[in-house]
Short mmCIF file of all heavy atoms in Angstrom, two decimals:
data_model
loop_
_atom_site.label_atom_id
_atom_site.label_comp_id
_atom_site.label_asym_id
_atom_site.label_seq_id
_atom_site.Cartn_x
_atom_site.Cartn_y
_atom_site.Cartn_z
N MET A 1 -7.04 40.97 -39.12
CA MET A 1 -6.20 41.98 -39.81
C MET A 1 -6.47 43.34 -39.24
O MET A 1 -7.63 43.69 -38.84
CB MET A 1 -6.58 42.02 -41.28
CG MET A 1 -5.50 42.67 -42.14
SD MET A 1 -6.08 42.81 -43.85
CE MET A 1 -4.76 43.66 -44.65
N ASN A 2 -5.49 44.15 -39.05
CA ASN A 2 -5.57 45.52 -38.49
C ASN A 2 -6.61 46.38 -39.19
O ASN A 2 -6.61 46.33 -40.39
CB ASN A 2 -4.18 46.07 -38.60
CG ASN A 2 -4.07 47.36 -37.76
OD1 ASN A 2 -4.81 48.20 -38.09
ND2 ASN A 2 -3.29 47.34 -36.83
N ILE A 3 -7.39 46.95 -38.38
CA ILE A 3 -8.55 47.78 -38.96
C ILE A 3 -8.04 48.97 -39.73
O ILE A 3 -8.54 49.27 -40.82
CB ILE A 3 -9.39 48.19 -37.78
CG1 ILE A 3 -10.36 46.97 -37.36
CG2 ILE A 3 -10.43 49.28 -38.26
CD1 ILE A 3 -11.02 47.28 -36.12
N GLN A 4 -7.02 49.65 -39.15
CA GLN A 4 -6.60 50.84 -39.88
C GLN A 4 -5.96 50.38 -41.26
O GLN A 4 -6.08 51.14 -42.24
CB GLN A 4 -5.41 51.45 -39.07
CG GLN A 4 -5.87 52.10 -37.75
CD GLN A 4 -6.70 53.26 -37.91
OE1 GLN A 4 -7.51 53.37 -38.80
NE2 GLN A 4 -6.49 54.24 -37.00
N LYS A 6 -6.99 48.08 -43.18
CA LYS A 6 -8.14 47.77 -44.10
C LYS A 6 -8.70 49.14 -44.59
O LYS A 6 -9.03 49.33 -45.73
CB LYS A 6 -9.24 46.96 -43.58
CG LYS A 6 -8.95 45.48 -43.72
CD LYS A 6 -10.18 44.65 -43.38
CE LYS A 6 -9.80 43.14 -43.64
NZ LYS A 6 -10.70 42.26 -42.95
N LYS A 7 -8.79 50.11 -43.75
CA LYS A 7 -9.47 51.33 -44.05
C LYS A 7 -8.64 52.02 -45.15
O LYS A 7 -9.13 52.38 -46.19
CB LYS A 7 -9.40 52.26 -42.77
CG LYS A 7 -9.75 53.66 -43.11
CD LYS A 7 -8.88 54.72 -42.51
CE LYS A 7 -9.30 56.11 -43.04
NZ LYS A 7 -8.36 57.08 -42.72
N LEU A 10 -8.73 49.96 -48.36
CA LEU A 10 -9.96 50.03 -49.19
C LEU A 10 -10.05 51.32 -50.00
O LEU A 10 -10.59 51.23 -51.18
CB LEU A 10 -11.12 49.95 -48.14
CG LEU A 10 -12.22 49.11 -48.52
CD1 LEU A 10 -11.79 47.70 -49.17
CD2 LEU A 10 -13.03 48.68 -47.26
N ILE A 32 -14.24 44.23 -55.56
CA ILE A 32 -13.49 44.35 -54.40
C ILE A 32 -13.61 43.10 -53.44
O ILE A 32 -12.70 42.48 -53.03
CB ILE A 32 -13.79 45.68 -53.44
CG1 ILE A 32 -13.45 46.83 -54.22
CG2 ILE A 32 -13.22 45.54 -52.08
CD1 ILE A 32 -13.98 48.07 -53.51
N SER A 33 -14.86 42.66 -53.16
CA SER A 33 -15.12 41.57 -52.35
C SER A 33 -14.56 40.28 -53.00
O SER A 33 -14.32 39.40 -52.20
CB SER A 33 -16.56 41.38 -51.99
OG SER A 33 -17.32 41.03 -53.04
N ILE A 36 -10.82 40.92 -51.62
CA ILE A 36 -10.54 41.21 -50.28
C ILE A 36 -11.75 40.69 -49.37
O ILE A 36 -12.85 40.98 -49.88
CB ILE A 36 -10.37 42.59 -49.94
CG1 ILE A 36 -9.34 43.29 -50.84
CG2 ILE A 36 -9.83 42.91 -48.42
CD1 ILE A 36 -9.01 44.74 -50.57
N ASP A 37 -11.52 40.22 -48.28
CA ASP A 37 -12.62 39.66 -47.41
C ASP A 37 -13.17 40.90 -46.67
O ASP A 37 -12.60 41.26 -45.63
CB ASP A 37 -12.02 38.61 -46.40
CG ASP A 37 -13.07 38.11 -45.52
OD1 ASP A 37 -14.31 38.19 -45.90
OD2 ASP A 37 -12.69 37.56 -44.42
N ILE A 38 -14.27 41.47 -47.10
CA ILE A 38 -14.86 42.47 -46.40
C ILE A 38 -16.38 42.39 -46.51
O ILE A 38 -16.87 41.97 -47.41
CB ILE A 38 -14.50 43.85 -46.95
CG1 ILE A 38 -15.15 45.00 -46.30
CG2 ILE A 38 -14.62 43.85 -48.44
CD1 ILE A 38 -14.67 46.34 -46.70
N SER A 39 -17.15 43.00 -45.50
CA SER A 39 -18.61 43.10 -45.62
C SER A 39 -18.87 44.06 -46.71
O SER A 39 -18.55 45.24 -46.53
CB SER A 39 -19.19 43.55 -44.28
OG SER A 39 -19.11 42.45 -43.41
N GLU A 40 -19.63 43.67 -47.73
CA GLU A 40 -19.87 44.48 -48.82
C GLU A 40 -20.64 45.82 -48.51
O GLU A 40 -20.57 46.88 -49.01
CB GLU A 40 -20.74 43.81 -49.84
CG GLU A 40 -19.94 42.57 -50.47
CD GLU A 40 -20.65 41.82 -51.50
OE1 GLU A 40 -21.98 42.15 -51.70
OE2 GLU A 40 -20.12 40.96 -52.05
N GLY A 41 -21.52 45.67 -47.42
CA GLY A 41 -22.27 46.80 -46.99
C GLY A 41 -21.44 47.99 -46.61
O GLY A 41 -21.95 49.17 -46.75
N SER A 42 -20.26 47.90 -46.17
CA SER A 42 -19.41 48.96 -45.71
C SER A 42 -18.89 49.70 -46.92
O SER A 42 -18.53 50.86 -46.80
CB SER A 42 -18.21 48.50 -44.96
OG SER A 42 -18.64 47.81 -43.89
N THR A 43 -18.95 49.11 -48.10
CA THR A 43 -18.19 49.80 -49.24
C THR A 43 -19.05 51.06 -49.61
O THR A 43 -18.54 52.02 -50.05
CB THR A 43 -18.17 48.84 -50.36
OG1 THR A 43 -17.65 47.56 -49.97
CG2 THR A 43 -17.22 49.40 -51.45
N ASP B 48 -26.43 38.34 -46.30
CA ASP B 48 -25.27 37.81 -45.64
C ASP B 48 -24.00 38.38 -46.19
O ASP B 48 -23.18 38.76 -45.28
CB ASP B 48 -25.11 36.28 -46.00
CG ASP B 48 -26.08 35.43 -45.11
OD1 ASP B 48 -26.56 36.00 -44.04
OD2 ASP B 48 -26.23 34.24 -45.34
N GLU B 49 -23.91 38.70 -47.48
CA GLU B 49 -22.84 39.44 -47.96
C GLU B 49 -22.66 40.84 -47.57
O GLU B 49 -21.65 41.37 -47.49
CB GLU B 49 -22.78 39.24 -49.55
CG GLU B 49 -22.42 37.81 -49.99
CD GLU B 49 -22.49 37.65 -51.43
OE1 GLU B 49 -23.24 38.62 -52.12
OE2 GLU B 49 -22.11 36.72 -52.04
N LEU B 50 -23.84 41.40 -47.49
CA LEU B 50 -23.81 42.90 -47.18
C LEU B 50 -23.26 43.10 -45.68
O LEU B 50 -22.62 44.01 -45.33
CB LEU B 50 -25.14 43.52 -47.25
CG LEU B 50 -25.60 43.89 -48.64
CD1 LEU B 50 -27.02 44.45 -48.61
CD2 LEU B 50 -24.66 44.91 -49.27
N GLY B 51 -23.69 42.16 -44.76
CA GLY B 51 -23.32 42.36 -43.38
C GLY B 51 -24.50 42.97 -42.59
O GLY B 51 -25.46 43.12 -42.99
N SER B 52 -24.14 43.31 -41.37
CA SER B 52 -25.21 43.69 -40.42
C SER B 52 -25.59 45.12 -40.68
O SER B 52 -24.79 45.99 -40.74
CB SER B 52 -24.56 43.64 -38.90
OG SER B 52 -25.23 44.65 -38.12
N GLN B 55 -24.54 47.59 -37.99
CA GLN B 55 -23.14 48.12 -38.19
C GLN B 55 -22.94 49.14 -39.34
O GLN B 55 -22.29 50.08 -39.21
CB GLN B 55 -22.26 46.91 -38.44
CG GLN B 55 -20.83 47.14 -38.30
CD GLN B 55 -20.53 47.51 -36.92
OE1 GLN B 55 -21.03 47.10 -35.85
NE2 GLN B 55 -19.49 48.45 -36.74
N ILE B 56 -23.68 48.80 -40.46
CA ILE B 56 -23.58 49.80 -41.63
C ILE B 56 -24.14 51.07 -41.20
O ILE B 56 -23.52 52.08 -41.46
CB ILE B 56 -24.31 49.08 -42.74
CG1 ILE B 56 -23.61 47.94 -43.35
CG2 ILE B 56 -24.43 50.22 -43.86
CD1 ILE B 56 -24.41 47.15 -44.36
N GLU B 59 -21.70 53.08 -39.18
CA GLU B 59 -20.69 53.72 -40.02
C GLU B 59 -21.17 54.92 -40.79
O GLU B 59 -20.50 55.98 -41.00
CB GLU B 59 -20.17 52.73 -41.02
CG GLU B 59 -19.27 51.59 -40.30
CD GLU B 59 -19.03 50.44 -41.16
OE1 GLU B 59 -19.08 50.60 -42.46
OE2 GLU B 59 -18.84 49.37 -40.72
N LEU B 88 -19.91 53.61 -32.60
CA LEU B 88 -19.48 52.71 -33.52
C LEU B 88 -18.40 51.77 -32.95
O LEU B 88 -18.45 50.50 -33.20
CB LEU B 88 -18.61 53.53 -34.60
CG LEU B 88 -18.07 52.83 -35.79
CD1 LEU B 88 -19.18 52.11 -36.50
CD2 LEU B 88 -17.31 53.82 -36.74
N SER B 89 -17.57 52.13 -32.04
CA SER B 89 -16.67 51.30 -31.43
C SER B 89 -16.35 51.70 -30.04
O SER B 89 -15.52 52.65 -30.00
CB SER B 89 -15.32 51.22 -32.32
OG SER B 89 -14.32 50.85 -31.45
N ASN B 92 -12.31 51.64 -28.85
CA ASN B 92 -11.62 52.70 -29.65
C ASN B 92 -12.14 54.02 -29.46
O ASN B 92 -11.40 54.99 -29.34
CB ASN B 92 -11.75 52.41 -31.22
CG ASN B 92 -10.92 51.18 -31.62
OD1 ASN B 92 -9.73 51.06 -31.09
ND2 ASN B 92 -11.38 50.27 -32.47
N GLU B 177 -13.11 54.34 -39.40
CA GLU B 177 -12.65 53.03 -39.89
C GLU B 177 -13.73 52.29 -40.60
O GLU B 177 -14.88 52.45 -40.28
CB GLU B 177 -12.22 52.22 -38.58
CG GLU B 177 -11.17 52.91 -37.78
CD GLU B 177 -11.26 52.45 -36.34
OE1 GLU B 177 -12.47 52.18 -35.90
OE2 GLU B 177 -10.33 52.23 -35.73
N ILE B 178 -13.41 51.40 -41.37
CA ILE B 178 -14.32 50.42 -41.75
C ILE B 178 -14.16 49.18 -40.95
O ILE B 178 -13.07 48.61 -40.96
CB ILE B 178 -14.07 50.08 -43.25
CG1 ILE B 178 -14.39 51.40 -44.06
CG2 ILE B 178 -15.02 48.95 -43.66
CD1 ILE B 178 -14.60 51.11 -45.45
N ILE B 179 -14.95 48.95 -40.10
CA ILE B 179 -14.90 47.86 -39.12
C ILE B 179 -15.47 46.53 -39.80
O ILE B 179 -16.62 46.56 -40.11
CB ILE B 179 -15.61 48.22 -37.78
CG1 ILE B 179 -14.82 49.33 -37.16
CG2 ILE B 179 -15.53 46.98 -36.96
CD1 ILE B 179 -15.48 49.87 -35.98
N GLN B 180 -14.51 45.72 -39.92
CA GLN B 180 -14.90 44.47 -40.48
C GLN B 180 -15.84 43.66 -39.71
O GLN B 180 -15.57 43.43 -38.49
CB GLN B 180 -13.65 43.62 -40.76
CG GLN B 180 -13.76 42.15 -41.10
CD GLN B 180 -14.33 41.91 -42.49
OE1 GLN B 180 -14.19 42.88 -43.27
NE2 GLN B 180 -14.76 40.75 -42.71
N THR B 181 -16.96 43.25 -40.21
CA THR B 181 -17.77 42.15 -39.57
C THR B 181 -17.63 40.95 -40.30
O THR B 181 -17.47 40.86 -41.50
CB THR B 181 -19.26 42.59 -39.46
OG1 THR B 181 -19.74 42.69 -40.77
CG2 THR B 181 -19.41 43.81 -38.73
N ARG B 182 -17.53 39.87 -39.61
CA ARG B 182 -17.32 38.58 -40.31
C ARG B 182 -18.49 38.26 -41.16
O ARG B 182 -19.68 38.52 -40.88
CB ARG B 182 -17.11 37.40 -39.28
CG ARG B 182 -15.77 37.13 -39.08
CD ARG B 182 -15.62 36.19 -37.87
NE ARG B 182 -15.68 36.79 -36.75
CZ ARG B 182 -16.54 36.46 -35.68
NH1 ARG B 182 -17.19 35.33 -35.86
NH2 ARG B 182 -16.75 37.12 -34.59
N LYS B 183 -18.27 37.81 -42.38
CA LYS B 183 -19.31 37.43 -43.25
C LYS B 183 -20.25 36.40 -42.67
O LYS B 183 -19.76 35.45 -41.98
CB LYS B 183 -18.67 36.73 -44.56
CG LYS B 183 -18.28 37.87 -45.57
CD LYS B 183 -18.05 37.23 -47.02
CE LYS B 183 -17.29 38.18 -47.82
NZ LYS B 183 -16.99 37.56 -49.09
N GLY B 184 -21.48 36.68 -42.96
CA GLY B 184 -22.41 35.65 -42.37
C GLY B 184 -23.03 36.11 -41.09
O GLY B 184 -23.96 35.46 -40.63
N VAL B 185 -22.47 37.11 -40.52
CA VAL B 185 -23.00 37.61 -39.21
C VAL B 185 -24.01 38.68 -39.56
O VAL B 185 -23.64 39.85 -39.96
CB VAL B 185 -21.95 38.12 -38.29
CG1 VAL B 185 -22.50 38.68 -36.97
CG2 VAL B 185 -20.92 37.07 -38.00
#
Side-chain angles (χ1 to χ4, degrees):
Chain A
M1 195 187 181
N2 192 299
I3 286 168
Q4 295 288 41
K6 273 190 176 162
K7 172 228 173 189
L10 222 40
I32 293 175
S33 68
I36 310 178
D37 183 20
I38 177 179
S39 286
E40 297 179 353
S42 302
T43 315
Chain B
D48 281 348
E49 286 174 343
L50 282 176
S52 152
Q55 194 59 35
I56 292 171
E59 290 167 24
L88 183 62
S89 154
N92 280 320
E177 305 153 322
I178 299 201
I179 293 176
Q180 164 76 16
T181 59
R182 260 169 290 128
K183 274 195 192 175
V185 177

